[in-house]
């Protein structure tokens, strides 16, 4: 029995964390995929983490091809920084998750969304159409901390992608590690723990063995990610938390509310 046993967990992710029948209705899905050997939800990285720790899934709010950035205000927005995505992590019953795992950012890299600048300290971010990774990631964390002040939030860094012979670079000249560095900086400024997947043991030259396409983990890759995340959770204990400040003020708790897009969430296979 682990210290996480019985606790609820919600996931804010992209295609890497999807599985048909286990994400909210209307969310785009990747798994299962004909070219990937993950054919059962139990083989995904996140379900293995749940099984390893004894947690219970509340909502897997993962949306294939979604970015952190985008329209943070629209009721049907797929952006990770949108109120729509974040509020839906509480499920139909308005339950506050004990744990929230955030695994997003690789599509921002692929779309060459501007990395932006960061002063090193938490800054107030406004709701609008965001195309700046630093601003979007910080807004996302501010909303998570405002709506779920009692939840343990963990930000996961990104694996190298589509690069078997070195480091991939996007159209802006940024690397995946540039985005990871910003994730670490923004998370630290908000007192949020980081699970650094760059250290999970999947090197760029091993992507062909651990993914089906250079991005999406296969069984072997998912198992390695799951083992690393599980160990990080169990070894890290309670993450550092800071008392939410005025930077979070624009988003009052909305527990118990119905989904802003009126959708019916489906988080378990039936």
């Amino acid at each position: 029995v682990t210290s996480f046993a019985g606790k609820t967990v919600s996931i804010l992710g992209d295609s890497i964390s999807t599985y048909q029948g286990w994400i909210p209705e209307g969310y785009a899905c990747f798994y299962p995929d004909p070219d990937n050997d993950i054919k059962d939800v139990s083989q995904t990285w996140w379900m293995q983490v749940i099984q390893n720790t004894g947690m219970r899934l509340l909502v897997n709010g993962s949306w294939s091809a979604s970015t952190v950035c985008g329209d943070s205000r629209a009721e049907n927005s797929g952006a990770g920084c949108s109120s729509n995505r974040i509020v839906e992590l509480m499920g139909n019953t308005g339950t506050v998750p004990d744990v929230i795992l955030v695994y997003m950012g690789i599509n921002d890299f692929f779309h060459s969304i501007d990395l932006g600048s960061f002063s090193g300290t938490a800054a107030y971010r406004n709701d609008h159409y965001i195309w700046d990774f630093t601003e979007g990631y910080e807004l996302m964390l501010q909303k998570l901390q405002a709506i779920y002040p009692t939840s343990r939030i963990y930000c996961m860094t990104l694996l190298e992608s589509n690069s078997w012979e070195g480091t991939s670079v996007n159209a802006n000249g940024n690397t995946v590690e540039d985005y990871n560095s910003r994730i670490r900086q923004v998370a630290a400024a908000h007192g949020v723990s980081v699970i650094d997947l760059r250290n999970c043991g999947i090197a760029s030259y091993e992507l062909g063995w651990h993914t089906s396409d250079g991005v999406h983990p296969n069984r072997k890759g998912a198992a390695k990610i799951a083992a690393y995340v599980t160990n990080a959770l169990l070894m890290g204990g309670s993450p550092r938390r800071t008392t939410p400040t005025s930077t979070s003020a624009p988003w009052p708790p909305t527990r118990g509310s119905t989904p802003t897009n009126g959708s019916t969430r489906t988080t378990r296979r039936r």
Side-chain angles (χ1 to χ4, degrees):
V1 178
T2 75
S3 59
F4 287 86
K7 296 189 180 300
T8 56
V9 59
S10 288
I11 302 161
L12 182 59
D14 51 34
S15 59
I16 293 172
S17 305
T18 61
Y19 201 88
Q20 186 176 9
W22 290 77
I23 59 177
E25 183 178 338
Y27 280 31
C29 191
F30 176 82
Y31 291 99
D33 179 76
D35 298 322
N36 193 294
D37 63 359
I38 290 179
K39 302 301 182 186
D40 187 86
V41 69
S42 64
Q43 298 165 342
T44 62
W45 75 265
W46 51 272
M47 186 57 80
Q48 291 183 66
V49 169
I50 289 171
Q51 294 168 342
N52 292 344
T53 59
M55 290 191 288
R56 296 182 292 111
L57 180 65
L58 182 59
V59 174
N60 182 347
S62 297
W63 189 321
S64 183
S66 64
T67 55
V68 170
C69 296
D71 194 336
S72 68
R73 303 157 300 181
E75 290 188 354
N76 61 348
S77 177
C81 67
S82 68
S83 300
N84 174 55
R85 292 284 301 275
I86 291 171
V87 168
E88 290 209 334
L89 296 177
M90 66 178 68
N92 285 326
T93 60
T95 303
V96 176
D98 296 311
V99 176
I100 298 174
L101 299 177
V102 181
Y103 189 15
M104 293 193 71
I106 196 60
N107 290 313
D108 298 80
F109 167 78
F110 287 139
H111 285 285
S112 299
I113 293 176
D114 187 54
L115 188 62
S117 59
F118 188 61
S119 67
T121 58
Y124 176 83
R125 303 293 183 175
N126 286 304
D127 261 323
H128 64 109
Y129 193 93
I130 295 173
W131 210 244
D132 175 301
F133 184 72
T134 301
E135 184 178 3
Y137 208 91
E138 185 159 35
L139 178 62
M140 177 175 68
L141 287 190
Q142 287 176 179
K143 288 184 177 182
L144 285 168
Q145 289 187 310
I147 297 174
Y148 308 109
T150 61
S151 301
R152 301 182 184 181
I153 302 170
Y154 297 85
C155 294
M156 297 166 58
T157 60
L158 315 171
L159 292 175
E160 183 62 68
S161 297
N162 287 346
S163 177
W164 288 267
E165 298 179 354
T167 303
S168 54
V169 179
N170 68 14
N172 290 335
N174 293 122
T175 65
V176 171
E177 184 54 28
D178 290 334
Y179 287 76
N180 282 339
S181 178
R182 193 51 47 83
I183 288 172
R184 298 184 194 103
Q185 291 169 347
V186 174
H190 287 267
V192 175
S193 287
V194 172
I195 298 176
D196 203 341
L197 283 189
R198 292 282 287 187
N199 298 321
C200 77
I202 301 178
S204 59
Y205 67 86
E206 296 179 309
L207 288 172
W209 305 332
H210 292 93
T211 71
S212 58
D213 54 8
V215 178
H216 298 94
N218 56 20
R219 285 191 197 180
K220 185 175 181 179
K224 184 162 283 192
I225 292 171
Y228 186 84
V229 173
T230 299
N231 185 64
L233 290 173
L234 298 182
M235 295 298 291
S238 298
R240 297 167 301 166
R241 284 302 308 272
T242 56
T243 302
T245 65
S246 59
T247 59
S248 299
W251 304 282
T254 53
R255 301 182 186 90
S257 64
T258 56
T260 54
N261 63 0
S263 65
T264 302
R265 301 183 187 87
T266 305
T267 55
R268 289 188 179 275
R269 181 181 295 277
R270 288 180 171 86

